[in-house]
Amino acid sequence: MILVDTHVHVTPPDIIANWEKYTTNEPHFSLLSNTKNNKFATAEDVIISMEKNGIEKSVIFGFAFNDLGLCRYVNDYVIEKVKQFPDKLTGFAVVPPCEGAAQEINRCYNAGLVGVGELFPKFNESENWHEICETCKELNLPILLHVNEGVGHYYPGKTDVSLKQLENFITNNPKLKIILAHFGGGLFFYELMKELKEKFCNVYYDTAAAPFLYDKKIYKVIKTLDLCDKIIFGSDFPLLQPSRYFSDIEESGFTEEEKEKILGGNIKNILINI
């Protein structure tokens, strides 16, 4: 079994050293960076964590800044590190929904990146989102979206994007491969509805931050719903170490085949190169 972590954040060292100066015009980055649980990691930190946790491959990406120039900068860092550690790392590109996003996706694709995300949905900016989605479809790239549950306590980074908005987005992009972070805010439950299961044929859900959000019984629910083909392991490192997930997954009652799908097989099926 090849163990793949599909949700790993990296930050260039100079941004880590001077992160406060980037918060002035980046309210979401400021909000997350100022939290007590926030952590930054370089690509080298990821490699160290992988060796400790038995991870064989990680999908890394930078922060999706509002400033396209900053996104280019963190994308360049990801491109550089993927080339430096090709056997360990693969990468996604980040872009804001703005003019020039499609060109940046194409640039990163040509440089070897294999997906787009983690992006923060702003579906009111439909024209720019349409450009991003069409580019991903043309290049056969999956898009990873930050999604959260619409109920429960507030925490920094929790958005007001509704499940209905997500359904509309998925419906309008039937050929787009979509990974919804954080178990899709619970959207996976509605795959019990035949009409949505058909619509969601290209939708996957990652496990990022699950220990902070859900009881470990969520994995047994996944098994009961027969969704093991659609769950992708992601740790949300450096927020959480991959090892935080392993015992819960092991105790879930998954078969070895089901565990292999979640821990690496499913993401290998949707990425063009990993």
Side-chain angles (χ1 to χ4, degrees):
M1 177 172 63
I2 298 176
L3 189 51
V4 182
D5 188 345
T6 315
H7 192 125
V8 178
H9 298 270
V10 294
T11 307
D14 55 327
I15 293 183
I16 295 175
N18 302 284
W19 65 266
E20 293 95 339
K21 83 174 188 177
Y22 296 94
T23 62
T24 304
N25 298 315
E26 295 286 344
H28 199 59
F29 180 73
S30 176
L31 178 68
L32 294 175
S33 298
N34 279 294
T35 63
K36 64 179 182 179
N37 290 324
N38 179 63
K39 300 172 185 176
F40 293 111
T42 64
E44 286 74 15
D45 294 326
V46 174
I47 297 296
I48 292 171
S49 172
M50 290 173 66
E51 292 173 351
K52 288 180 178 179
N53 290 280
I55 304 294
E56 295 173 71
K57 195 96 173 188
S58 287
V59 178
I60 61 171
F61 40 81
F63 190 86
F65 291 101
N66 290 328
D67 183 337
L68 182 58
L70 279 174
C71 285
R72 287 195 190 100
Y73 184 70
V74 295
N75 289 338
D76 282 342
Y77 179 73
V78 170
I79 291 167
E80 174 191 346
K81 293 305 174 180
V82 167
K83 289 180 179 178
Q84 184 177 350
F85 303 105
D87 295 332
K88 293 287 187 180
L89 305 178
T90 191
F92 282 9
V94 289
V95 291
C98 70
E99 184 176 353
Q103 291 90 332
E104 177 61 8
I105 293 171
N106 272 284
R107 184 184 77 87
C108 292
Y109 169 78
N110 290 328
L113 300 193
V114 297
V116 175
E118 179 187 18
L119 304 188
F120 303 103
K122 297 177 183 177
F123 295 135
N124 57 312
E125 302 175 47
S126 57
E127 182 176 341
N128 293 321
W129 270 103
H130 178 73
E131 182 180 336
I132 290 172
C133 293
E134 288 304 306
T135 303
C136 288
K137 282 184 274 189
E138 289 171 9
L139 300 176
N140 194 27
L141 300 177
I143 184 170
L144 169 63
L145 299 180
H146 173 84
V147 181
N148 51 252
E149 66 288 354
V151 297
H153 68 286
Y154 170 79
Y155 49 83
K158 192 166 187 174
T159 70
D160 58 1
V161 173
S162 70
L163 296 188
K164 183 60 180 177
Q165 287 176 301
L166 284 169
E167 181 198 350
N168 291 341
F169 177 76
I170 293 165
T171 300
N172 292 332
N173 294 280
K175 295 182 180 180
L176 179 64
K177 292 185 287 189
I178 302 169
I179 304 171
L180 300 180
H182 316 298
F183 280 114
L187 186 62
F188 70 86
F189 174 82
Y190 294 96
E191 293 218 15
L192 284 170
M193 300 171 68
K194 184 178 179 181
E195 61 185 283
L196 294 192
K197 188 172 184 64
E198 292 173 353
K199 284 184 181 179
F200 292 3
C201 61
N202 289 320
V203 177
Y204 301 82
Y205 310 88
D206 85 18
T207 65
F212 284 166
L213 300 173
Y214 297 102
D215 187 280
K216 64 183 180 180
K217 296 187 189 73
I218 192 168
Y219 296 108
K220 293 186 177 180
V221 172
I222 293 295
K223 182 175 175 64
T224 300
L225 297 182
D226 194 24
L227 290 176
C228 295
D229 289 338
K230 308 199 75 176
I231 305 301
I232 294 171
F233 174 66
S235 68
D236 218 350
F237 181 85
L239 180 65
L240 286 164
Q241 288 283 341
S243 58
R244 288 286 299 274
Y245 298 78
F246 295 155
S247 61
D248 290 347
I249 292 174
E250 192 63 35
E251 296 168 10
S252 64
F254 292 133
T255 65
E256 288 301 314
E257 181 183 2
E258 289 168 339
K259 284 188 288 186
E260 287 182 9
K261 289 178 179 179
I262 292 169
L263 295 173
N266 291 336
I267 190 63
K268 288 178 67 179
N269 287 336
I270 66 172
L271 290 183
I272 58 176
N273 180 29
I274 188 169

XYZ file of all heavy atoms in Angstrom, residues 9-83:
605
model
N -0.040 21.742 3.556
C 0.256 23.158 3.326
C 1.750 23.434 3.490
O 2.364 22.976 4.459
C -0.501 24.023 4.332
C -1.991 23.918 4.230
N -2.743 24.732 3.422
C -2.872 23.078 4.840
C -4.025 24.418 3.534
N -4.128 23.413 4.391
N 2.316 24.188 2.556
C 3.703 24.640 2.681
C 3.763 26.149 2.489
O 2.929 26.740 1.800
C 4.635 23.940 1.664
C 4.736 22.459 1.951
C 4.184 24.195 0.233
N 4.772 26.742 3.094
C 4.969 28.189 3.022
C 6.444 28.475 2.820
O 7.284 27.894 3.530
C 4.490 28.879 4.313
O 3.140 28.477 4.602
C 4.532 30.395 4.191
N 6.796 29.339 1.878
C 8.208 29.688 1.691
C 8.810 30.263 2.977
O 8.122 30.980 3.728
C 8.162 30.744 0.578
C 6.889 30.467 -0.151
C 5.924 29.998 0.892
N 10.085 29.979 3.246
C 10.717 30.418 4.495
C 10.640 31.923 4.732
O 10.471 32.359 5.875
C 12.172 29.959 4.340
C 12.103 28.817 3.404
C 10.990 29.126 2.444
N 10.778 32.739 3.670
C 10.761 34.179 3.882
C 9.373 34.675 4.279
O 9.260 35.643 5.042
C 11.266 34.922 2.642
C 10.506 34.565 1.385
O 10.072 33.413 1.275
O 10.336 35.440 0.522
N 8.317 34.017 3.806
C 6.977 34.394 4.254
C 6.773 33.961 5.699
O 6.174 34.695 6.502
C 5.894 33.785 3.341
C 5.974 34.416 1.939
C 4.507 33.995 3.935
C 4.895 33.934 0.986
N 7.280 32.791 6.064
C 7.186 32.356 7.464
C 7.874 33.354 8.382
O 7.342 33.735 9.436
C 7.820 30.962 7.641
C 7.022 29.915 6.864
C 7.901 30.586 9.122
C 7.629 28.527 6.884
N 9.056 33.812 7.979
C 9.843 34.720 8.822
C 9.201 36.101 8.953
O 9.419 36.796 9.949
C 11.256 34.852 8.268
N 8.420 36.494 7.965
C 7.847 37.845 7.962
C 6.339 37.820 7.695
O 5.803 38.695 7.028
C 8.532 38.690 6.880
C 10.029 38.788 7.068
O 10.509 39.521 7.924
N 10.770 38.032 6.271
N 5.653 36.826 8.237
C 4.256 36.615 7.870
C 3.372 37.810 8.203
O 2.382 38.073 7.518
C 3.718 35.349 8.517
C 3.653 35.372 10.026
C 4.594 34.918 10.883
C 2.581 35.868 10.825
N 4.198 35.093 12.189
C 2.956 35.678 12.184
C 1.351 36.453 10.550
C 2.140 36.054 13.245
C 0.524 36.828 11.606
C 0.918 36.630 12.941
N 3.742 38.573 9.258
C 2.880 39.697 9.660
C 2.724 40.732 8.546
O 1.655 41.316 8.385
C 3.445 40.384 10.909
C 3.414 39.543 12.161
C 4.728 38.811 12.390
O 5.496 38.641 11.404
O 4.983 38.410 13.530
N 3.756 40.922 7.754
C 3.682 41.957 6.718
C 2.736 41.572 5.584
O 2.300 42.431 4.820
C 5.074 42.280 6.185
C 5.608 41.353 5.117
C 6.925 41.874 4.568
C 7.390 41.070 3.355
N 8.633 41.604 2.780
N 2.405 40.280 5.491
C 1.504 39.825 4.434
C 0.035 39.864 4.863
O -0.854 39.568 4.060
C 1.872 38.406 4.000
C 3.238 38.319 3.380
C 4.351 37.984 4.140
C 3.427 38.596 2.028
C 5.619 37.907 3.578
C 4.692 38.521 1.453
C 5.777 38.181 2.242
O 7.030 38.114 1.680
N -0.213 40.226 6.106
C -1.587 40.207 6.610
C -2.364 41.479 6.291
O -3.591 41.471 6.325
C -1.600 39.994 8.136
O -0.921 41.081 8.780
C -0.912 38.682 8.512
N -1.673 42.562 5.959
C -2.332 43.856 5.784
C -3.412 43.823 4.714
O -4.544 44.276 4.932
C -1.295 44.940 5.421
O -0.289 44.966 6.439
C -1.972 46.300 5.328
N -3.091 43.277 3.558
C -4.036 43.247 2.447
C -4.613 41.859 2.195
O -5.223 41.622 1.148
C -3.352 43.753 1.173
C -2.893 45.184 1.291
O -3.624 46.042 1.780
N -1.663 45.450 0.866
N -4.402 40.952 3.130
C -4.876 39.573 2.990
C -5.647 39.187 4.256
O -5.127 38.510 5.147
C -3.698 38.622 2.769
C -2.947 38.831 1.470
C -3.718 38.314 0.256
O -4.677 37.543 0.456
O -3.348 38.680 -0.879
N -6.914 39.594 4.351
C -7.675 39.375 5.594
C -7.820 37.909 5.978
O -7.784 37.579 7.170
C -9.036 40.018 5.301
C -9.109 40.170 3.815
C -7.706 40.351 3.355
N -7.973 37.017 5.000
C -8.142 35.595 5.343
C -6.826 35.003 5.839
O -6.808 34.236 6.811
C -8.651 34.818 4.142
C -9.261 33.498 4.500
N -10.346 33.370 5.342
C -8.918 32.222 4.158
C -10.651 32.098 5.491
N -9.794 31.380 4.790
N -5.733 35.370 5.201
C -4.419 34.927 5.669
C -4.155 35.473 7.068
O -3.624 34.766 7.928
C -3.346 35.405 4.700
C -1.946 35.003 5.082
C -1.532 33.692 4.942
C -1.047 35.939 5.573
C -0.239 33.310 5.288
C 0.247 35.566 5.923
C 0.654 34.255 5.787
N -4.541 36.722 7.301
C -4.373 37.332 8.622
C -5.176 36.582 9.674
O -4.681 36.281 10.774
C -4.809 38.798 8.579
O -4.738 39.383 9.862
N -6.431 36.271 9.345
C -7.305 35.580 10.287
C -6.719 34.239 10.703
O -6.651 33.903 11.886
C -8.681 35.381 9.641
C -9.736 34.638 10.455
C -10.153 35.461 11.660
C -10.950 34.319 9.591
N -6.260 33.470 9.724
C -5.731 32.140 10.028
C -4.363 32.198 10.687
O -4.050 31.404 11.576
C -5.661 31.310 8.748
C -7.016 30.960 8.107
C -6.804 30.235 6.786
C -7.855 30.112 9.042
N -3.534 33.146 10.269
C -2.163 33.224 10.798
C -2.133 33.669 12.249
O -1.197 33.344 12.978
C -1.333 34.190 9.947
O -1.234 33.728 8.623
N -3.148 34.400 12.665
C -3.177 34.931 14.027
C -3.843 33.992 15.033
O -4.002 34.357 16.190
C -3.883 36.283 14.045
C -2.970 37.418 13.615
O -1.999 37.747 14.289
N -3.273 38.013 12.461
N -4.227 32.800 14.604
C -4.868 31.871 15.521
C -3.831 31.119 16.340
O -2.691 30.928 15.909
C -5.731 30.850 14.756
O -4.887 30.057 13.915
C -6.781 31.557 13.914
N -4.247 30.663 17.516
C -3.312 29.971 18.411
C -2.876 28.617 17.848
O -1.804 28.103 18.197
C -3.936 29.787 19.791
C -5.164 28.891 19.809
C -5.709 28.727 21.228
C -6.924 27.793 21.248
N -7.435 27.627 22.632
N -3.707 28.024 16.994
C -3.377 26.714 16.438
C -2.586 26.787 15.136
O -2.187 25.760 14.600
C -4.666 25.909 16.182
C -5.344 25.480 17.466
O -4.679 25.163 18.444
N -6.670 25.488 17.471
N -2.369 28.000 14.634
C -1.704 28.118 13.341
C -0.255 27.634 13.404
O 0.471 27.882 14.374
C -1.725 29.565 12.854
C -1.026 29.713 11.518
O -1.459 29.145 10.519
N 0.070 30.446 11.492
N 0.154 26.952 12.342
C 1.526 26.503 12.190
C 1.924 26.685 10.739
O 1.091 26.558 9.838
C 1.669 25.025 12.581
C 1.289 24.714 14.016
C 1.277 23.217 14.263
C 0.784 22.890 15.669
N 0.676 21.428 15.889
N 3.195 26.987 10.518
C 3.738 27.067 9.168
C 4.718 25.920 8.957
O 5.343 25.437 9.902
C 4.467 28.392 8.945
C 3.584 29.606 8.947
C 3.655 30.531 9.975
C 2.685 29.820 7.913
C 2.853 31.664 9.972
C 1.874 30.948 7.891
C 1.956 31.870 8.934
N 4.871 25.508 7.717
C 5.820 24.438 7.410
C 6.469 24.692 6.067
O 5.811 25.128 5.111
C 5.111 23.082 7.391
N 7.747 24.420 5.979
C 8.460 24.416 4.705
C 8.337 23.021 4.092
O 7.882 22.072 4.741
C 9.942 24.738 4.893
O 10.544 23.697 5.686
C 10.130 26.080 5.593
N 8.769 22.888 2.863
C 8.764 21.576 2.226
C 9.673 20.600 2.976
O 9.369 19.405 3.081
C 9.208 21.701 0.771
N 10.771 21.102 3.508
C 11.684 20.246 4.274
C 11.011 19.743 5.558
O 11.239 18.594 5.973
C 12.967 21.008 4.602
C 13.909 21.188 3.427
C 13.447 22.232 2.406
O 12.526 23.030 2.737
O 13.988 22.256 1.290
N 10.178 20.578 6.174
C 9.417 20.127 7.343
C 8.463 19.002 6.962
O 8.251 18.057 7.740
C 8.603 21.296 7.930
C 9.467 22.400 8.515
O 10.540 22.071 9.056
O 9.058 23.572 8.437
N 7.881 19.107 5.787
C 6.983 18.060 5.298
C 7.736 16.750 5.132
O 7.261 15.681 5.550
C 6.329 18.475 3.962
C 5.517 17.313 3.381
C 5.447 19.697 4.156
N 8.929 16.803 4.549
C 9.730 15.588 4.341
C 10.031 14.915 5.677
O 9.920 13.692 5.814
C 11.040 15.919 3.602
C 10.752 16.480 2.200
C 11.928 14.683 3.518
C 10.083 15.521 1.260
N 10.384 15.707 6.678
C 10.672 15.154 8.012
C 9.437 14.473 8.587
O 9.503 13.367 9.130
C 11.169 16.275 8.951
C 12.536 16.775 8.498
C 11.227 15.781 10.399
C 13.013 18.025 9.220
N 8.281 15.137 8.477
C 7.034 14.567 8.984
C 6.678 13.285 8.239
O 6.214 12.301 8.838
C 5.892 15.580 8.842
O 4.645 15.000 9.154
N 6.898 13.269 6.927
C 6.602 12.074 6.134
C 7.415 10.884 6.622
O 6.896 9.766 6.755
C 6.894 12.355 4.657
C 5.932 13.319 3.997
S 6.451 13.781 2.318
C 6.295 12.206 1.449
N 8.672 11.120 6.901
C 9.542 10.031 7.355
C 9.091 9.509 8.717
O 9.142 8.300 8.982
C 10.982 10.523 7.404
C 11.559 10.804 6.010
C 12.925 11.455 6.054
O 13.372 11.851 7.155
O 13.552 11.573 4.977
N 8.613 10.404 9.580
C 8.147 9.997 10.907
C 6.839 9.219 10.830
O 6.583 8.334 11.652
C 7.953 11.224 11.794
C 9.240 11.893 12.243
C 8.931 13.100 13.123
C 10.203 13.756 13.617
N 9.920 14.959 14.455
N 6.007 9.561 9.853
C 4.649 9.022 9.799
C 4.443 7.953 8.727
O 3.334 7.458 8.555
C 3.653 10.161 9.554
C 3.509 11.080 10.748
O 2.795 10.771 11.695
N 4.183 12.229 10.711
N 5.507 7.619 8.004
C 5.394 6.582 7.005
C 4.654 6.990 5.743
O 4.139 6.148 5.007
N 4.601 8.301 5.486
C 3.955 8.803 4.279
C 4.931 8.693 3.111
O 6.081 9.127 3.209
C 3.522 10.280 4.443
C 2.602 10.443 5.660
C 2.851 10.783 3.172
C 1.276 9.757 5.543
N 4.473 8.134 2.010
C 5.360 7.942 0.866
C 5.281 9.074 -0.149
O 6.238 9.323 -0.882
C 5.045 6.607 0.201
C 5.345 5.424 1.113
C 4.890 4.111 0.538
O 5.512 3.642 -0.437
O 3.915 3.544 1.059
N 4.134 9.756 -0.209
C 3.968 10.858 -1.147
C 3.029 11.884 -0.522
O 2.038 11.533 0.101
C 3.377 10.359 -2.465
C 3.500 11.346 -3.614
C 4.727 11.038 -4.456
C 4.794 11.887 -5.708
N 5.848 11.490 -6.632
N 3.359 13.168 -0.713
C 2.495 14.246 -0.222
C 2.150 15.192 -1.354
O 2.996 15.500 -2.212
C 3.189 15.035 0.897
O 3.234 14.296 2.097
N 0.916 15.656 -1.355
C 0.469 16.695 -2.279
C 0.533 18.018 -1.532
O -0.191 18.224 -0.554
C -0.958 16.436 -2.782
C -1.400 17.563 -3.713
C -1.054 15.093 -3.485
N 1.423 18.909 -1.985
C 1.651 20.160 -1.275
C 1.092 21.333 -2.077
O 0.974 21.286 -3.291
C 3.148 20.387 -0.990
C 3.951 20.472 -2.297
C 3.687 19.273 -0.093
C 5.409 20.904 -2.093
N 0.755 22.401 -1.358
C 0.287 23.626 -1.998
C 0.462 24.795 -1.048
O 0.532 24.641 0.175
C -1.181 23.509 -2.434
C -2.076 22.790 -1.466
C -2.609 23.424 -0.359
C -2.381 21.445 -1.668
C -3.440 22.749 0.525
C -3.204 20.756 -0.793
C -3.736 21.412 0.319
N 0.550 25.991 -1.639
C 0.678 27.200 -0.857
C -0.671 27.773 -0.471
O -1.721 27.166 -0.717
N -0.650 28.960 0.114
C -1.884 29.620 0.531
C -2.500 30.354 -0.653
O -1.795 30.994 -1.441
C -1.590 30.619 1.659
C -2.825 31.167 2.313
C -3.435 30.480 3.351
C -3.400 32.360 1.879
C -4.576 30.972 3.953
C -4.543 32.862 2.478
C -5.136 32.162 3.511
N -3.818 30.253 -0.778
C -4.528 30.914 -1.880
C -4.771 32.388 -1.518
O -5.840 32.767 -1.052
C -5.843 30.207 -2.167
N -3.755 33.197 -1.747
C -3.852 34.627 -1.469
C -4.822 35.308 -2.436
O -5.087 34.817 -3.539
C -2.477 35.280 -1.607
C -1.489 34.890 -0.543
C -0.504 33.935 -0.793
C -1.524 35.487 0.712
C 0.419 33.584 0.178
C -0.602 35.135 1.695
C 0.366 34.190 1.426
N -5.314 36.470 -2.040
C -6.120 37.292 -2.943
C -5.259 37.890 -4.053
O -5.756 38.182 -5.141
C -6.804 38.429 -2.170
C -7.895 37.920 -1.254
O -8.553 36.931 -1.548
N -8.103 38.599 -0.136
N -4.005 38.105 -3.759
C -3.049 38.709 -4.688
C -2.486 37.623 -5.607
O -1.826 36.686 -5.156
C -1.926 39.365 -3.875
C -0.911 40.099 -4.741
O -0.789 39.769 -5.937
O -0.237 40.990 -4.211
N -2.752 37.743 -6.899
C -2.269 36.750 -7.852
C -0.746 36.681 -7.854
O -0.161 35.604 -8.037
C -2.792 37.066 -9.254
C -2.398 36.084 -10.368
C -2.856 34.668 -10.045
C -2.974 36.541 -11.705
N -0.086 37.806 -7.628
C 1.373 37.810 -7.575
C 1.903 36.955 -6.438
O 2.894 36.223 -6.602
N 1.263 37.019 -5.274
C 1.662 36.175 -4.149
C 1.385 34.706 -4.451
O 2.166 33.823 -4.071
C 0.930 36.598 -2.876
C 1.503 37.797 -2.123
C 0.596 38.187 -0.959
C 2.912 37.478 -1.609
N 0.283 34.440 -5.131
C -0.004 33.061 -5.520
C 1.080 32.534 -6.465
O 1.525 31.392 -6.326
C -1.375 32.968 -6.183
S -2.756 33.084 -5.014
N 1.503 33.362 -7.412
C 2.590 32.947 -8.305
C 3.850 32.621 -7.491
O 4.564 31.658 -7.795
C 2.910 34.059 -9.310
C 1.881 34.245 -10.402
C 2.458 35.091 -11.534
N 1.437 35.492 -12.483
C 0.846 36.683 -12.501
N 1.182 37.605 -11.622
N -0.077 36.949 -13.402
N 4.108 33.425 -6.492
C 5.307 33.247 -5.684
C 5.269 31.911 -4.930
O 6.251 31.152 -4.959
C 5.450 34.400 -4.694
C 6.718 34.344 -3.882
C 7.955 34.574 -4.473
C 6.689 34.048 -2.523
C 9.127 34.510 -3.740
C 7.857 33.990 -1.778
C 9.067 34.225 -2.393
O 10.217 34.154 -1.659
N 4.136 31.593 -4.286
C 4.070 30.322 -3.555
C 3.979 29.149 -4.525
O 4.483 28.050 -4.230
C 2.906 30.301 -2.536
C 3.131 31.332 -1.438
C 1.558 30.510 -3.198
N 3.383 29.369 -5.691
C 3.375 28.306 -6.715
C 4.789 27.994 -7.186
O 5.149 26.825 -7.393
C 2.505 28.709 -7.900
C 1.026 28.719 -7.573
O 0.575 28.074 -6.630
N 0.256 29.454 -8.355
N 5.601 29.039 -7.353
C 6.994 28.824 -7.754
C 7.744 28.018 -6.701
O 8.589 27.167 -7.032
C 7.694 30.169 -7.976
C 7.332 30.813 -9.302
O 6.824 30.098 -10.190
O 7.550 32.029 -9.457
N 7.435 28.277 -5.434
C 8.071 27.520 -4.353
C 7.667 26.051 -4.435
O 8.515 25.151 -4.300
C 7.657 28.110 -3.008
C 8.227 27.386 -1.811
C 9.572 27.502 -1.472
C 7.416 26.574 -1.013
C 10.100 26.832 -0.379
C 7.923 25.898 0.074
C 9.274 26.035 0.393
O 9.793 25.360 1.471
N 6.384 25.792 -4.658
C 5.907 24.413 -4.783
C 6.558 23.729 -5.983
O 7.022 22.587 -5.888
C 4.366 24.386 -4.902
C 3.872 22.987 -5.273
C 3.729 24.836 -3.591
N 6.619 24.420 -7.117
C 7.255 23.859 -8.317
C 8.714 23.493 -8.034
O 9.192 22.408 -8.393
C 7.164 24.862 -9.483
C 5.712 25.008 -9.952
C 8.066 24.439 -10.648
C 5.479 26.193 -10.861
N 9.416 24.399 -7.381
C 10.831 24.165 -7.059
C 11.002 22.936 -6.173
O 11.885 22.089 -6.407
C 11.398 25.397 -6.352
C 12.819 25.224 -5.831
C 13.260 26.355 -4.916
O 12.582 27.411 -4.869
O 14.276 26.181 -4.216
N 10.158 22.803 -5.149
C 10.311 21.706 -4.195
C 9.861 20.366 -4.775
O 10.412 19.316 -4.422
C 9.555 22.030 -2.908
C 10.162 23.198 -2.136
C 11.641 22.968 -1.843
C 12.316 24.156 -1.206
N 13.756 23.911 -0.926
N 8.878 20.399 -5.648
C 8.480 19.163 -6.323
C 9.619 18.653 -7.205
O 9.885 17.447 -7.274
C 7.195 19.385 -7.145
C 6.940 18.219 -8.090
C 5.999 19.593 -6.219
N 10.314 19.576 -7.862
C 11.466 19.186 -8.675
C 12.623 18.703 -7.805
O 13.373 17.804 -8.201
C 11.910 20.364 -9.540
C 10.940 20.692 -10.667
C 11.419 21.873 -11.497
C 10.449 22.167 -12.638
N 10.873 23.350 -13.433
